[in-house]
Amino acid sequence: MADDRNRSVRLLCRPKQLNTQGSDPGIQFWLIGSPFLPPLTVASFLRRIHGLPSSSSSLDFAKESEDLRTLIPKGFELIGALASGGDSVARAALDAALALRKLLYGEGTDRPLIGAVCGSDSGDMRFFVSESGNATSLESVASIIEERDSEKCLWENGCLLHCELPIKLPLYYPLKNPTDVEKAYVQTTEAVIAKLRDPQAVYMLETSNKTSQDIPSPVIIRGVQLDFYADLSKIKPLAEDDEGSDASCLSCSYFSVGSKAGSPVFSAENADTIQVSVLFNSLGTSSASTVPVAEYFPVEEEARLLVVDIKLDVLCYSSREVPLKYAVSNLIIPGLIDQLNTVQKLMLPNLLAQHPQLKSYHFSPPGILHPITVFYELSFGETEMKQVEVRRSLHSRLGLPYDRPLLRISNALDFSKLKSNDMVSLQKGSTLLRDVHIGIPSSGVAGGTVSLIQGSYEYFHYLHEGYNDSGWGCAYRSLQTIISWFRLQNYTSVEVPSHREIQQTLVEIGDKDPSFIGSREWIGAIELSFVLDKLLGVTCKVINVRSGAELPEKCRELALHFENQSTPVMIGGGVLAYTLLGVDYNEASGDCAFLILDPHYTGSDDLKKIVNGGWCGWKKAVDNKGKNFFLHDKFYNLLLPQRPNMNSKRNLSDLVFNYGGCLASDLVDLMKSRMKSKATLWQSNVTWRKE
């Protein structure tokens, strides 16, 4: 290897879950950069997930290239690989990056590539660089620069281009030889690709920000003005005089909306977005034909017409300095062609059966600086097992937690809303207060550690929407608040149920008699767990204490719940129910406080009145006047909803609820027994504890 030179690798992030202890030698991560960033700048690390059956450390380059071609938006590219081992494996990392680039971008590259290594003992990363992808000469990098403001580095001078293109593909095939439909599909796809590159094609570009007072006029770019062979990394900004001479030479900055009041927020969601529309011009001279031509094809056998509907949806990243014509020809059109080829490959195996309902979605998951694009097959819904496996592999590649719905369709970027005035829209028809605990006074626990729910919820309480449930509906209201949390975190699209719908659910599962519907009977933690499982598929843990005096002993366990699960907790004791939003706990002294959201409030949705009245606030087990908040002569059940594992499909024969380590078989027997006796669990002699 060559001597060190004054070269630097810039890191906008570090690889997630980098753990080489005991890992197989070989490629662990792909390094992603951009021609619009300084050379050797790493914008993200994407985990390698596909190996050959013969060896887990052997790469399946074909599958890796298929995944990354869809996942990485145009404007980003593979610039290296990271392998586990010492400096000697840097060349293997570089060879792997070269091989994958060949599959992704074709022959040859004049980009400098990175071969990174991570020691299996120390975990330290070292970087080696090869100029122009020449693996015979490697230079050890002298320094590594970790950017403090990565989002600013990526988005201050960056923008997005978005193009949607619905297409109907008419396919004729003979009934005697139905496999000819595949050939017809390939030919039709090739015709569409040729049309995208046709000099008569027209592309209209406009801003997606319709709220700005000074909206730039749309720009029309014709196919004859495009340049498909430009090197984006070498394109220089045009002078202002040049920009005015030809609309196609305008740079992407033409559509910049300008700085807003206050500090700008740098992210994919807040980036300037240019909307690109494809207009196929049927008038004028075409490269395909100079005059209209009518041809006669004699039909010697019966034929059938199959129309395939597809919708391409491409998202690209660009520097604002890039001229629009280069952005269209080198980003948008290649992106559309890649999607056409991807859809073709996915469609062909089942074209004559029930061909897949494919749709691409764009996401900006936390911790990933650039957006990603994913194809979902929607024929059987999001919970179908094949869909689940796709999400599981994506979470693995991106280093995302498995219990967060980050790649659910409900979390996809919606470009129709991102630039609207109400970027954070309320639930349709909802007038409820949200997150009423924010800004309340401190608990008064000296030296305590505060552990709170994460995410938004809505405050349901007595008499909401004029429904009189005073004196019996507190647990129903706590359940509604909990379900609103799961809705607002996009775990479910189920509407928050009414009291009657909650009762109907308990009757449907056999827990209650039909006479329960429309009654004013109380429900408790166990009924809430049944409803959460039935309506949302949410499992729960239950903590049982014999007296309110024992609740402070559970603060450590509750703190762990809020740190790991972060969901609202229902506390039921006697005839009262509360919603717990957090705890403040001093482990050394044992002093603690509970952040209580009280559903017994009967007033108007006046935030000041609610906070000042103590309906949402910190409560100590014993206040400064010696009064007990939790009754010592009552037992309490605490219901701890668990975040669903969004990437696994639950087998109904598996554990339905996890009550502190209680065996599934024992729990099922208890549930069956309860169904027969109608006795409440907390009135039985069974005590469920998490040891």
Side-chain angles (χ1 to χ4, degrees), residues 30 50 60-71 99-104 397:
W30 302 114
H50 294 300
D60 190 331
F61 285 102
K63 288 186 177 179
E64 287 290 315
S65 64
E66 289 174 9
D67 283 4
L68 296 184
R69 183 176 286 108
T70 298
L71 192 68
L100 191 56
R101 277 192 65 94
K102 182 177 179 180
L103 290 175
L104 289 170
R397 188 182 291 282

Side-chain angles (χ1 to χ4, degrees), residues 291-565:
V291 294
V293 175
E295 295 185 73
Y296 170 68
F297 297 93
V299 180
E300 299 178 356
E301 55 185 345
E302 188 177 358
R304 178 168 294 177
L305 171 65
L306 173 66
V307 179
V308 178
D309 286 311
I310 61 177
K311 184 177 182 179
L312 307 180
D313 191 329
V314 170
L315 188 66
C316 306
Y317 170 80
S318 176
S319 166
R320 294 181 183 179
E321 298 175 346
V322 171
L324 295 171
K325 65 178 181 180
Y326 294 122
V328 171
S329 56
N330 293 275
L331 296 173
I332 289 294
I333 293 178
L336 291 171
I337 292 173
D338 276 356
Q339 282 203 4
L340 275 169
N341 291 328
T342 298
V343 171
Q344 174 181 293
K345 185 170 184 178
L346 295 172
M347 284 281 198
L348 285 181
N350 298 294
L351 196 56
L352 290 179
Q354 183 178 1
H355 52 261
Q357 298 177 20
L358 298 169
K359 191 176 187 313
S360 61
Y361 294 91
H362 311 292
F363 297 89
S364 182
I368 308 297
L369 296 177
H370 57 78
I372 61 168
T373 300
V374 178
F375 265 105
Y376 283 153
E377 209 281 272
L378 303 179
S379 300
F380 303 102
E382 283 192 275
T383 58
E384 197 268 331
M385 198 60 200
K386 186 176 180 181
Q387 178 90 305
V388 167
E389 291 304 322
V390 170
R391 287 202 305 275
R392 177 185 292 278
S393 66
L394 287 169
H395 276 244
S396 176
R397 188 182 291 282
L398 300 171
L400 301 175
Y402 290 108
D403 60 350
R404 301 294 190 272
L406 301 173
L407 300 181
R408 284 275 180 153
I409 292 173
S410 56
N411 270 331
L413 295 175
D414 186 345
F415 292 94
S416 65
K417 295 180 180 179
L418 285 181
K419 295 297 183 179
S420 63
N421 286 322
D422 54 342
M423 288 182 64
V424 181
S425 59
L426 295 177
Q427 177 183 328
K428 185 177 180 180
S430 175
T431 58
L432 292 170
L433 291 175
R434 285 192 186 183
D435 308 331
V436 295
H437 70 287
I438 295 178
I440 65 171
S442 61
S443 69
V445 174
T449 300
V450 177
S451 303
L452 300 175
I453 67 166
Q454 296 177 10
S456 293
Y457 61 89
E458 292 175 318
Y459 180 26
F460 286 82
H461 55 80
Y462 279 169
L463 305 183
H464 173 64
E465 292 184 342
Y467 185 77
N468 186 1
D469 58 345
S470 181
W472 62 275
C474 52
Y476 293 84
R477 297 300 188 182
S478 181
L479 175 60
Q480 290 174 329
T481 293
I482 291 172
I483 292 178
S484 77
W485 184 92
F486 282 97
R487 273 182 58 83
L488 294 175
Q489 269 53 247
N490 292 310
Y491 282 104
T492 182
S493 58
V494 172
E495 296 287 345
V496 175
S498 64
H499 294 55
R500 187 178 186 88
E501 289 168 336
I502 293 169
Q503 294 171 341
Q504 179 70 42
T505 299
L506 292 170
V507 171
E508 288 176 358
I509 66 172
D511 182 62
K512 301 291 185 184
D513 293 325
S515 60
F516 178 65
I517 299 176
S519 70
R520 296 192 170 191
E521 290 188 31
W522 298 325
I523 58 175
I526 306 305
E527 284 93 349
L528 264 65
S529 70
F530 291 162
V531 175
L532 287 171
D533 177 71
K534 172 67 174 179
L535 296 184
L536 308 187
V538 167
T539 61
C540 299
K541 291 183 179 180
V542 170
I543 299 174
N544 172 267
V545 296
R546 300 179 186 277
S547 165
E550 297 180 12
L551 275 172
E553 301 173 11
K554 301 298 179 181
C555 266
R556 183 199 304 270
E557 191 171 343
L558 289 170
L560 288 175
H561 168 81
F562 287 114
E563 291 168 8
N564 297 323
Q565 298 295 327

